[in-house]
Amino acid sequence: MVWSVFSVSLVHDDWSTLTSGFSGIDVHVISSTPVPGRDRIIAMVRVSSSNAKSLKEFLNNVRLFHNIRNLEIIDSHSFKGKSIALVNLFTNFKGSITELVVLSDSYKYDERMYGGMEHWLILTSMRPSDLLDELKERADVKSFKWFNTNDAVSRVRKVALTSREVEVLEKAYELGYFNWPKDISLSELAKVLGVSKATLTQELRSIVRKLALREVTRIREYNALARLFE
């Protein structure tokens, strides 16, 4: 099974469109859970703005939006110059992006709303093109990209150390070969491991190359995922 992290920005008939009319409004959906047996989603969202009046006006507009069934402000406070409200709200499940995600056996990583758009990060086993087609039936998709997690696993496997390399690395570390100054020379370490100096040199080069490549791969994959949140 191939898993992908799918990032998509879209617009559809939802209260998220209200963020287009309020400069500086940022919404982070902390959780959204369908209510069993009812056409409802209960969501907890964090709404922030640099302007307290604008935040209050925005929430009043959300409360009156056609697909909002109930809105309750749990907490409000200021932090680092921003006004923040923690809100519980009930909205429609049917026809929502959440419904699509749930029914396609996908999982939501993150959901944010600003500038009139929703920005989703979804973990899915569907082909990204198929998920994209379904999203386009419900919303106006503005942009999208995906990251194949299986590709990352495959690349990591290529830099995995063999059992022999693990043995050499552990022994070299334990005996202080990597200390400065070294507690044991290359020749002495070779004798301990029962190999020639030339053989040990090749083994250590292979280990260092794999460890370096592993770190570079990790950094690249982290940066790729970080760009999906942008």
Side-chain angles (χ1 to χ4, degrees):
M1 181 179 293
V2 177
W3 287 92
S4 298
V5 178
F6 188 79
S7 173
V8 60
S9 298
L10 53 85
V11 176
H12 72 125
D13 185 21
D14 188 75
W15 64 273
S16 57
T17 56
L18 296 174
T19 59
S20 64
F22 295 85
S23 178
I25 286 288
D26 182 83
V27 179
H28 183 198
V29 180
I30 299 171
S31 66
S32 56
T33 307
V35 179
R38 300 180 63 188
D39 176 28
R40 296 288 184 273
I41 299 170
I42 181 170
M44 178 178 289
V45 301
R46 178 184 181 273
V47 187
S48 63
S49 173
S50 56
N51 185 294
K53 183 178 179 180
S54 179
L55 176 62
K56 183 177 180 180
E57 185 179 353
F58 172 74
L59 291 176
N60 285 337
N61 277 263
V62 172
R63 194 188 304 271
L64 298 174
F65 200 78
H66 68 83
N67 71 340
I68 297 297
R69 302 308 176 191
N70 188 44
L71 184 151
E72 176 187 5
I73 299 176
I74 301 172
D75 178 59
S76 60
H77 59 278
S78 297
F79 181 71
K80 293 185 177 181
K82 283 188 173 291
S83 295
I84 300 170
L86 190 62
V87 179
N88 259 349
L89 55 84
F90 283 84
T91 186
N92 294 340
F93 177 66
K94 190 172 182 180
S96 68
I97 304 301
T98 298
E99 180 190 35
L100 188 155
V101 171
V102 171
L103 296 182
S104 65
D105 291 325
S106 301
Y107 305 90
K108 183 180 76 173
Y109 263 7
D110 195 60
E111 180 188 356
R112 296 175 186 271
M113 304 173 182
Y114 51 85
M117 291 197 292
E118 298 179 15
H119 308 271
W120 288 72
L121 199 60
I122 302 166
L123 177 65
T124 182
S125 60
M126 291 182 67
R127 290 196 309 173
S129 58
D130 291 341
L131 179 59
L132 181 62
D133 287 342
E134 292 200 20
L135 283 167
K136 286 181 176 179
E137 292 181 2
R138 300 195 182 204
D140 179 11
V141 175
K142 299 298 185 181
S143 65
F144 63 91
K145 49 188 173 180
W146 62 81
F147 174 79
N148 190 318
T149 57
N150 286 41
D151 289 346
V153 172
S154 177
R155 287 191 289 271
V156 169
R157 285 173 178 165
K158 291 179 181 179
V159 297
L161 299 180
T162 65
S163 57
R164 169 60 182 176
E165 288 171 335
V166 171
E167 177 189 355
V168 171
L169 181 61
E170 288 181 338
K171 186 60 68 175
Y173 181 83
E174 290 170 1
L175 297 180
Y177 177 77
F178 298 110
N179 292 346
W180 186 260
K182 295 177 180 179
D183 295 335
I184 187 172
S185 69
L186 181 64
S187 297
E188 291 170 333
L189 180 60
K191 289 180 181 179
V192 172
L193 291 167
V195 296
S196 69
K197 183 178 177 180
T199 297
L200 179 58
T201 298
Q202 291 300 319
E203 288 180 323
L204 288 172
R205 284 177 179 172
S206 176
I207 291 169
V208 171
R209 182 186 62 80
K210 285 184 176 181
L211 293 178
L213 185 55
R214 180 187 297 179
E215 185 63 16
V216 169
T217 299
R218 184 191 66 80
I219 292 170
R220 287 174 177 171
E221 304 302 354
Y222 174 84
N223 290 339
L225 280 173
R227 286 193 294 271
L228 291 177
F229 283 94
E230 294 176 353

